[in-house]
Amino acid sequence: MNTFDFKNYLAAGGVNQQLTEAQIHEEIEKIFEEFFNDSSNKNLIKEEKEQLDESLTGLIVGGILSAPKLIALLGKLIKKISKVFGKDTSEEGIGAWIEKKGEQLEGTYIKGLMQAIKFTGLAKSVWKKEDGSVDKEKLHDTAEVIFAVILAVAAVGAGGTAISALKSGSGIMAAIEGGLTGIKSSEILAIVQKIGPKLAA
């Protein structure tokens, strides 16, 4: 029995929402392409300064804040992704959207983010082995953290609230933690609070 309700489909955004997502995906692909075509972005993070916090969180924050061109790239991605959340931009609506589609969205962009991290050298002490080879699992983990930050800042932007209002127990952070494996919302929140205002500018 076919239970597809065409009226509900159109009311929920239907074809228009799918077209919008496809258009945004195309635009994001162009953003990545332009970034990789600029050779000055290669090895953007020349060296990781000694940091008190040598965790992945500390290295990501330090690396991004030291590279305005990386801030610009993430800012462009955030502006595009903030348009995919659909019509309900309440915290509950965005949280539900992330729970439903966050993993699929991550699957779409994780390779581009992994390439960008490798290209720029962001947090390389985490994913680069002593012999110069790449630990793909750790590179993927780093990209997951960056994607979660992008998603959190984009969600706040779509909802029209301030980054400072984002809390650990919020629906958005719970959805990100639940939908993206192995990432604690407290870690994402720590990064978002430090670099979010620059990314959302």
Side-chain angles (χ1 to χ4, degrees), residues 66-135:
S66 73
K69 289 172 97 175
L70 197 49
I71 289 173
L73 169 69
L74 298 179
K76 285 177 186 176
L77 296 174
I78 285 163
K79 278 183 185 156
K80 295 296 177 191
I81 288 175
S82 67
K83 295 176 183 174
V84 302
F85 292 111
K87 292 178 181 177
D88 186 354
T89 54
S90 66
E91 186 178 307
E92 295 77 20
I94 291 173
W97 190 97
I98 291 171
E99 281 178 9
K100 186 179 175 185
K101 291 190 169 184
E103 209 170 324
Q104 177 191 329
L105 197 68
E106 180 196 9
T108 305
Y109 301 120
I110 201 79
K111 284 184 181 173
L113 286 172
M114 286 171 73
Q115 193 180 344
I117 290 164
K118 194 174 164 186
F119 193 67
T120 59
L122 177 66
K124 60 181 167 272
S125 61
V126 172
W127 51 263
K128 201 168 195 176
K129 297 178 185 176
E130 285 183 24
D131 63 3
S133 63
V134 173
D135 183 325

Side-chain angles (χ1 to χ4, degrees), residues 115-166:
Q115 193 180 344
I117 290 164
K118 194 174 164 186
F119 193 67
T120 59
L122 177 66
K124 60 181 167 272
S125 61
V126 172
W127 51 263
K128 201 168 195 176
K129 297 178 185 176
E130 285 183 24
D131 63 3
S133 63
V134 173
D135 183 325
K136 288 184 180 174
E137 195 175 319
K138 287 184 179 174
L139 180 62
H140 184 276
D141 291 348
T142 305
E144 265 197 338
V145 172
I146 297 290
F147 178 74
V149 169
I150 289 171
L151 202 55
V153 177
V156 170
T161 53
I163 285 169
S164 56
L166 196 61

